[in-house]
Amino acid sequence: MNKGLLYALLAYASASLFHHVHNATFLAAYPNMPPGLSMLGVYAAWGAVTAVGVIGYALVRMGYGGPGLLLLAVYGGCGLDGLAHYVVAEFSAHSLLMHLSILSEVVTGLLLIALCIRAALHAKKAGTFDRPVQPG
């Protein structure tokens, strides 16, 4: 895994954790959240999403670049789910810290997706996308 992709993965993982912790801690302050959503539910969602990223990372490290990069891109795509906050309530209904937590997750998720695509295209060109390669 190249350093850029690794840094993007770490940035997204940090942003995702920050957003979910902020969301869980200030759940009542987030506008129009589903009434049945609990702090535990927010952390469970973070755990499920993070598992996708951990499995993707493990696959890449084991040399299964294609499936691993796909899962890492899906993991990054999960960060776009934060945009749903703006579907259920107007942009102006959120605090500055809410915006920071949501948008940092979105931006780093998009960066992770872009770098996964770049790595996949490079692997395809090198002929290593469809078969296990030596981890690196």
Side-chain angles (χ1 to χ4, degrees):
M1 176 178 290
N2 69 53
K3 286 185 182 184
L5 182 58
L6 179 60
Y7 293 150
L9 174 60
L10 293 173
Y12 173 70
S14 299
S16 177
L17 178 62
F18 171 56
H19 177 222
H20 283 84
V21 167
H22 188 268
N23 199 315
T25 304
F26 299 103
L27 191 57
Y30 274 82
N32 300 328
M33 294 299 282
L37 187 60
S38 68
M39 183 183 237
L40 181 60
V42 172
Y43 285 121
W46 175 79
V49 167
T50 301
V52 172
V54 169
I55 293 167
Y57 176 75
L59 286 171
V60 170
R61 293 294 300 160
M62 291 186 313
Y64 294 94
L69 289 169
L70 178 61
L71 281 180
L72 288 177
V74 168
Y75 176 53
C78 290
L80 302 180
D81 187 51
L83 293 172
H85 285 288
Y86 302 123
V87 172
V88 299
E90 292 185 24
F91 192 84
S92 61
H94 297 83
S95 72
L96 180 61
L97 203 50
M98 288 175 185
H99 290 304
L100 181 62
S101 74
I102 294 164
L103 296 176
S104 65
E105 187 178 28
V106 169
V107 169
T108 56
L110 287 171
L111 177 64
L112 181 58
I113 292 168
L115 292 180
C116 284
I117 291 169
R118 187 178 84 175
L121 291 173
H122 178 74
K124 188 71 172 171
K125 183 177 178 184
T128 59
F129 186 76
D130 306 48
R131 59 183 168 80
V133 295
Q134 290 298 322

